[in-house]
Amino acid sequence: MFSLIYSAAINGIEANVVEVETYISSGMPVFSIVGLPDAAVKESRDRVVAALKNSGYDFPLKKITVNLAPADIKKEGGIFDLSIALGILAANGKIKKENLYKFCAVGELSLDGKIRKVRGVLPISLGLQKNKIKNFIVPFANRQEAAVAGLVNVFPFKTLLEIVKFINGELNQEPYIYNIEELNTSVDVNYDFADVKGQRITKRAAEIAAAGSHNIIMSGPPGSGKTMIAKRIPGILPSMTFEEAVETTKIWSASGHTFTGGLIKQRTFRNPHHTSSSVALAGGGVYPKPGEVSLSHNGVLFLDEFAEFRRDALEVLRQPLEDKKITVSRAKNSFVFPASFMLVAAMNPCPCGNLGHREKECVCNPWQIRKYQSKISGPLMDRIDIHVEVPALKFSELAVLNDDSESSASIRERVVKAREIQNARLLGSGIYANAQMQSKEIKKHCILDDEAYETLKAAIEKLNFSARSYDKILKVSRTIADLDNSNIIKANHIAEAVQYRFFDRR
């Protein structure tokens, strides 16, 4: 007695369709699962037996062999419980086998026959369409996520008994339709730029960074407002497109992170602790999963206490900052995770944090200061477009009741307009923001007038900027010109961009 049903395995952020073959034969009662299963898959034997009995079905006391094919792909987690149980019921004559092979089923079984939520449902749904499998049985809790793409017929259920009746034609169930609401366009009132006192230059730098998707680093003493400003940057970014929302949700789903609804509609803001390892940032593990750089895809990665991160952890940022993706290699396989994020970093100027403070004295000697600042390598700093110094606030700035600070909503309007200009200019190039321009696009779109050219020449010669810094200045000045609604980069745009190379100028 043989049966076949489809399931799926998650590898990285992609899904591989798995054929769950079940064969019941005469012999000693043995229940074996083959096909490179991990410990969690092997433990499904006990869950399946209990779930079948508690759903009112007799478990066959015969030799049962379940093969998860292809055998060279590692299978992990409880995602195969449901398909194994359905395969056993079909091979034992309780389900019509001619109907079973039309479905892909995923879900973890509880001992009483209920279906629990599993990770990776959206990547599986996207993968089924490529393999021309049209019907997808999922846990009820995964229904929205599975139906986001709208590519397959999604049938959500709460219990094993309901699924058996559905496959046998005893229960009528229409495919679940997920009504996608408009992506979030509101500003989080809990993090509004209107609450930030003073720091006019830093807020202007944050606006430019958001307008061109530029990476930014802020250096200043503790309490100067670096973290406060960083948390407000997602509120001035443009809303995600549907494609960006699906990409982000796919990564979060595959990594097992929880989120509400079927789609992540707001740009993510990740803030890992400075003790995070290189694997936590880049991704990896025995079965590689996305790290923080991928979880912040299409959003913001905020690294507070930047200089306190381990050197090897910071260096893994080089590839994703340059290529917008990261490759995690293992002995048997290699995984490529998307990592198109906006880096926002904050650091103290020295170990005590008071270097350059207006009122407090720095107690660090020159050797300690150089050692602290050298934790961030030159090549990594070159990949950050905007460097800005955040000074400590004076009492007069703190005590003012109304400093007429702009709200996030008004700043966001300018950012959105600048992004629209960039999208029109870069249409068809495969990039969407000034920060992503390469040499070809820079040469084509960064047109300087004569005065701007002379200003840039003087700055490069006097301050001895690197070639990468030269490109960064041009890209940042292009964004400043877009905010100014100017087709030509002018001298004041170049001058402002040069001011945002604080570490190079110092």
Side-chain angles (χ1 to χ4, degrees), residues 72-124:
D72 59 341
I73 296 177
K74 187 72 177 178
K75 322 298 188 309
E76 61 171 330
I79 195 171
F80 300 99
D81 289 6
L82 178 57
S83 55
I84 291 173
L86 294 175
I88 292 173
L89 289 173
N92 199 35
K94 303 297 183 182
I95 294 179
K96 297 177 181 179
K97 291 190 287 185
E98 61 272 18
N99 295 338
L100 191 64
Y101 76 93
K102 300 176 183 177
F103 295 91
C104 173
V106 299
E108 181 182 329
L109 287 173
S110 63
L111 299 185
D112 61 354
K114 291 186 176 67
I115 313 298
R116 288 198 174 107
K117 186 178 181 180
V118 293
R119 72 177 181 93
V121 169
L122 178 55
I124 294 171

Side-chain angles (χ1 to χ4, degrees), residues 14-40:
E14 301 298 331
N16 298 105
V17 173
V18 174
E19 296 180 2
V20 181
E21 302 171 323
T22 305
Y23 180 64
I24 300 179
S25 60
S26 301
M28 293 290 292
V30 178
F31 185 2
S32 60
I33 301 175
V34 298
L36 210 59
D38 72 348

Side-chain angles (χ1 to χ4, degrees), residues 178-191:
Y178 176 59
N179 295 319
I180 301 174
E181 301 174 359
E182 184 179 358
L183 297 184
N184 195 296
T185 58
S186 62
V187 176
D188 190 346
V189 295
N190 293 320
Y191 296 105

Side-chain angles (χ1 to χ4, degrees), residues 155-402:
F155 300 98
F157 294 97
K158 295 181 180 180
T159 66
L160 175 62
L161 191 59
E162 291 176 349
I163 298 173
V164 174
K165 290 180 179 180
F166 168 70
I167 296 175
N168 284 333
E170 301 170 6
L171 176 65
N172 185 30
Q173 175 86 17
E174 293 297 323
Y176 175 79
I177 304 299
Y178 176 59
N179 295 319
I180 301 174
E181 301 174 359
E182 184 179 358
L183 297 184
N184 195 296
T185 58
S186 62
V187 176
D188 190 346
V189 295
N190 293 320
Y191 296 105
D192 197 301
F193 268 99
D195 301 327
V196 182
K197 296 182 178 181
Q199 304 300 4
R200 181 181 58 83
I201 294 176
T202 308
K203 288 188 285 187
R204 168 67 174 173
E207 177 183 342
I208 295 169
S213 192
H214 298 288
N215 303 315
I216 179 173
I217 182 170
M218 298 176 284
S219 175
S224 56
K226 303 184 295 296
T227 302
M228 191 176 186
I229 291 172
K231 288 183 177 180
R232 282 152 177 78
I233 290 178
I236 62 174
L237 291 172
S239 299
M240 286 201 292
T241 63
F242 175 74
E243 291 75 16
E244 288 176 329
V246 170
E247 286 177 357
T248 304
T249 306
K250 179 181 177 181
I251 296 170
W252 279 61
S253 175
S255 63
H257 282 69
T258 57
F259 53 92
T260 57
L263 198 66
I264 295 176
K265 299 177 182 179
Q266 290 182 309
R267 296 192 182 275
T268 55
F269 180 83
R270 302 293 295 178
N271 182 14
H273 194 261
H274 64 265
T275 58
S276 299
S277 66
S278 58
V279 173
L281 288 179
V286 178
Y287 308 118
K289 293 182 180 179
E292 293 292 342
V293 298
S294 296
L295 293 172
S296 55
H297 182 61
N298 292 322
V300 174
L301 175 63
F302 176 47
L303 300 183
D304 201 2
E305 304 296 344
F306 197 46
E308 299 294 343
F309 279 80
R310 288 167 39 179
R311 181 68 177 262
D312 63 318
L314 290 178
E315 293 306 307
V316 303
L317 296 174
R318 288 200 199 182
Q319 185 199 6
L321 285 176
E322 197 76 18
D323 302 332
K324 303 303 179 183
K325 62 183 179 182
I326 190 161
T327 303
V328 179
S329 298
R330 293 294 179 265
K332 294 184 178 180
N333 211 339
S334 180
F335 301 87
V336 178
F337 299 136
S340 180
F341 59 90
M342 177 180 165
L343 175 65
V344 179
M347 63 177 287
N348 295 329
C350 66
C352 77
N354 294 326
L355 181 65
H357 199 287
R358 294 184 177 117
E359 299 173 356
K360 296 181 181 180
E361 183 180 354
C362 176
V363 297
C364 307
N365 61 48
W367 179 84
Q368 289 175 316
I369 295 172
R370 285 196 300 269
K371 181 181 178 182
Y372 183 80
Q373 295 177 350
S374 66
K375 291 181 179 180
I376 305 169
S377 66
L380 177 59
M381 191 64 76
D382 264 353
R383 285 169 168 81
I384 301 177
D385 303 2
I386 297 176
H387 312 162
V388 60
E389 185 180 18
V390 187
L393 291 172
K394 298 178 181 178
F395 175 78
S396 58
E397 294 173 311
L398 290 171
V400 66
L401 295 177
N402 183 10

